[in-house]
Amino acid sequence: MAFENLIYDVQDYVATLTLNRPEKLNALNGGLQQDLRDALAEAQHDDAIRVILLTGAGRGFCSGADLTPNPGVTPQQSRKSQQNELMDDLGWVGRQALAIYNIDKPTIAVMNGVAAGAGMSLSLGCDMRIGSEKSRFKTVFIERNLSPDSGMSFFLPRIVGYSRAADLIYTSRTLESEEAYRIGLLDRLVSHDALMDTAHEVAAQMTGWPPLALRTSKRVLQHNNEVELDDALRYELSNLATPRKAVNDQRESRLSFIEKRKPSFTGT
């Protein structure tokens, strides 16, 4: 599928989704919002993809929602859109959060520049964030007389803790890369020149494992982040059977260990 506002590239089991509105620091307008949801759905349903990288073109990762008016929208279209939005209890911000979080394949945000507002939330919905000295974060919402949306109030406290999330949301201060790494918002901090290479190296470590085990691991990790221990233990046990359905990978795992060689998993 071709996308107008997003570059979609697949190599070696890794899909790289590049938000492609660099002149706007990849601000999320209606077209990019839809392209992103469609691209994530395509990657989810493609068995040739095992890991998803999400990054931005140019100087920014994503500066948040595009607040500039769209001159191509007529008043009639605008009224229709507003009515649909009023009937939608999630809104595009909720659909974006679900689109990134509900994928059962590992997602890595490659933070090539600023991530603000809903763009910061987009990165928080990924499993990991890899950044460089050019990465920085800003919650923004309170500056626009808004409380957090697009999943920020869910994701941020789980990543950095409640009080640090409160600090960032209530002050809307800019978080530079070194502090972001120190508090756990960035999982890897590398030089900007090595950013994409590092992301692909991390992804390659993941794609070398059995695909069903990888996807089930994410499913279990997400589910058990929200439940009590006894429920978590039962969910772990019930999901152990899923990777074993890939009988060829089950056999390859055993043989490669016995033969002391690098395994080659196919997902079958």
Side-chain angles (χ1 to χ4, degrees):
M1 182 185 296
F3 300 99
E4 182 178 351
N5 303 279
L6 181 146
I7 301 170
Y8 188 97
D9 179 68
V10 180
Q11 295 183 34
D12 300 324
Y13 303 111
V14 178
T16 301
L17 279 57
T18 305
L19 310 179
N20 193 30
R21 300 186 72 223
E23 73 285 354
K24 292 283 191 178
L25 293 178
N26 304 309
L28 294 155
N29 66 355
L32 181 51
Q33 295 162 22
Q34 189 61 57
D35 281 355
L36 178 59
R37 292 195 297 270
D38 290 344
L40 290 168
E42 183 168 331
Q44 165 69 17
H45 292 102
D46 186 347
D47 285 345
I49 294 170
R50 301 181 185 180
V51 176
I52 299 166
L53 303 182
L54 181 63
T55 192
R59 298 183 298 111
F61 175 79
C62 179
S63 59
D66 190 345
L67 301 179
T68 58
N70 186 347
V73 177
T74 67
Q76 292 81 5
Q77 290 171 324
S78 178
R79 284 194 294 273
K80 182 178 179 181
S81 174
Q82 289 170 6
Q83 290 171 14
N84 288 335
E85 289 172 4
L86 289 172
M87 293 296 293
D88 185 353
D89 61 354
L90 284 173
W92 73 264
V93 289
R95 292 194 299 274
Q96 173 182 288
L98 290 176
I100 190 70
Y101 187 72
N102 284 345
I103 290 177
D104 63 5
K105 300 176 181 181
T107 53
I108 303 172
V110 187
M111 310 303 301
N112 59 300
V114 66
M120 179 174 172
S121 299
L122 181 61
S123 73
L124 300 178
C126 294
D127 295 296
M128 295 174 59
R129 283 150 300 284
I130 299 175
S132 75
E133 70 276 7
K134 295 187 178 182
S135 306
R136 62 188 190 278
F137 300 85
K138 191 173 179 63
T139 60
V140 170
F141 292 104
I142 206 164
E143 298 182 35
R144 306 288 181 261
N145 193 34
L146 297 170
S147 57
D149 64 27
S150 48
M152 183 177 287
S153 63
F154 178 89
F155 296 127
L156 191 57
R158 285 166 169 78
I159 295 170
V160 302
Y162 179 90
S163 61
R164 285 189 172 126
D167 173 14
L168 295 174
I169 290 170
Y170 300 166
T171 67
S172 194
R173 63 185 179 87
T174 298
L175 186 68
E176 301 291 348
S177 58
E178 288 286 348
E179 185 181 2
Y181 179 65
R182 179 173 57 81
I183 69 174
L185 189 54
L186 286 176
D187 301 286
R188 311 280 177 97
L189 180 60
V190 300
S191 70
H192 193 72
D193 290 342
L195 183 61
M196 287 306 302
D197 286 343
T198 301
H200 281 284
E201 288 169 7
V202 173
Q205 289 178 310
M206 299 177 184
T207 60
W209 300 124
L212 276 182
L214 189 64
R215 294 175 70 169
T216 307
S217 294
K218 175 169 180 176
R219 182 181 298 174
V220 170
L221 186 62
Q222 282 186 326
H223 178 275
N224 287 355
N225 192 42
E226 304 300 323
V227 300
E228 300 295 333
L229 177 58
D230 55 344
D231 291 331
L233 294 172
R234 293 187 185 96
Y235 195 75
E236 282 182 342
L237 190 61
S238 66
N239 277 274
L240 283 175
T242 301
R244 293 171 182 166
K245 294 176 183 177
V247 293
N248 291 327
D249 281 354
Q250 183 77 2
R251 185 183 304 111
E252 175 66 3
S253 176
R254 183 177 65 256
L255 290 177
S256 62
F257 176 78
I258 294 171
E259 297 169 3
K260 294 181 171 55
R261 59 173 174 81
K262 183 179 179 179
S264 178
F265 297 110
T266 63
T268 61

